Amino acid sequence: MSTPAIITVAITGSQPTKAQNPAVPIHPAEQVESTHEAYEAGASLVHIHVRDEEGRSSSDIELFREVQAGILKHCPDMIIQFSTGGRGRAAQERGAAIRLKPDMASLATGSVNFATVIYENPPQLVEDLANDMLAHEVKPEVEIFDAAMLYNARALVERGTMKAPAHVQFVLGIPNALPAREKLLDFLIEELTEQLPGATWTAAGVGRFQLEVNHWALRRGGHARTGLEDNIYFEKGRLAASNAELVKRVADLCGKYGRHPATPKEARTLLGLRSVS
Ligand code: MG
């Protein structure tokens, strides 16, 4: 019997442009279509950022609403996760779309340097976002960009600001943040097991580390993230044709590690989310 692996597709992000890869979906209709293709290829969870007309990262709740409605129409059981991160967004607006009650929202539990900027998540913002998610019954995906964020997540659970069992994502390979090192992932999993018993986890490798980190996670019983937000290439020198192509690559890998792509129903059970009939 194989075990289910939740494949997350991060379709857009805040940065990659159509000039870098024309497959990056920017407008809501493109985002819905790209998500639908990824769903058919085996993704059960979609991580969403929205962009304005000029392609800039946005907090516009109407854009989130439009994408959410399109996904609910075409892939009604897929898990919808909104980003509360993203560069170029005012702190007080980052949680605006939580009130639309997506299944999940991302929550970085600390600040960290990225390649050229500080990704700022001051303690009060983390607390406010977590409280908002709790109030709207939106499950956080804790984004672990640095080790301290794991312990900060535990503190949120202890204070009752986040429900257990938690779900976390280890993000590896961002310059100045956690490097993509297999032994580091092992350490983080060990600490997670001790600090947040019963937590589920996924991992994302950024840029050229995407596929390698997919292997590491599937081998260890974790879940896997792919998509154009993190990486625009299929292989060195060849752009990915679509989010679906990246998802299919992970879906095809699952069998090698005794896994299969989780159905949305299985993924919802694993994450303790409401089922969709
Ligand atoms: Mg994101």
Side-chain angles (χ1 to χ4, degrees), residues 47 49 83 225 229:
H47 173 81
H49 290 246
S83 172
R225 165 162 144 165
E229 169 171 351

Side-chain angles (χ1 to χ4, degrees), residues 18-254:
K18 280 203 182 288
Q20 291 171 309
N21 184 334
V24 176
I26 304 290
H27 298 296
E30 288 179 322
Q31 293 200 329
V32 172
E33 189 184 349
S34 187
T35 301
H36 193 189
E37 289 169 8
Y39 170 87
E40 309 237 289
S44 50
L45 195 165
V46 58
H47 173 81
I48 294 172
H49 290 246
V50 295
R51 308 276 194 99
D52 66 15
E53 290 289 323
E54 280 74 48
R56 287 180 305 236
S57 186
S58 170
S59 295
D60 186 343
I61 193 163
E62 293 312 320
L63 291 171
F64 276 105
R65 198 194 305 276
E66 198 175 337
V67 175
Q68 183 184 36
I71 295 169
L72 284 170
K73 181 173 173 197
H74 294 283
C75 329
D77 52 358
M78 192 174 200
I79 297 168
I80 297 178
Q81 180 186 96
F82 287 169
S83 172
T84 65
R87 284 143 272 193
R89 298 169 69 185
Q92 65 273 20
E93 292 172 1
R94 282 174 34 191
I98 291 170
R99 79 179 80 123
L100 297 178
K101 299 182 77 153
D103 297 290
M104 304 181 78
S106 61
L107 177 68
T109 48
S111 301
V112 64
N113 278 352
F114 282 169
T116 58
V117 295
I118 305 172
Y119 181 32
E120 281 186 76
N121 295 290
Q124 192 60 51
L125 175 68
V126 174
E127 195 78 18
D128 291 348
L129 287 170
N131 271 314
D132 241 26
M133 291 180 203
L134 192 64
H136 291 89
E137 296 177 302
V138 173
K139 180 164 178 147
E141 176 179 274
V142 177
E143 305 300 333
I144 309 286
F145 291 98
D146 212 348
M149 298 183 192
L150 182 56
Y151 309 94
N152 295 345
R154 178 193 156 134
L156 285 175
V157 170
E158 281 176 345
R159 288 200 294 278
T161 315
M162 186 166 71
K163 282 187 191 165
H167 178 66
V168 313
Q169 170 161 257
F170 301 116
V171 186
L172 308 178
I174 294 184
N176 295 324
L178 292 171
R181 288 176 60 79
E182 201 166 7
K183 63 169 94 170
L184 174 57
L185 179 61
D186 281 329
F187 169 77
L188 292 167
I189 295 166
E190 200 181 319
E191 283 295 273
L192 178 73
T193 307
E194 198 179 295
Q195 299 290 319
L196 289 163
T200 45
W201 66 272
T202 185
V206 172
R208 65 195 166 91
F209 303 108
Q210 185 170 64
L211 181 60
E212 199 173 4
V213 171
N214 290 156
H215 279 275
W216 298 350
L218 291 173
R219 185 183 298 136
R220 287 165 175 77
H223 305 290
R225 165 162 144 165
T226 190
L228 294 166
E229 169 171 351
D230 300 342
N231 163 47
I232 58 171
Y233 291 96
F234 186 79
E235 59 197 12
K236 195 168 190 281
R238 205 272 264 174
L239 290 171
S242 63
N243 278 303
E245 185 181 44
L246 294 172
V247 169
K248 183 174 185 303
R249 174 167 87 170
V250 183
D252 289 346
L253 261 191
C254 283

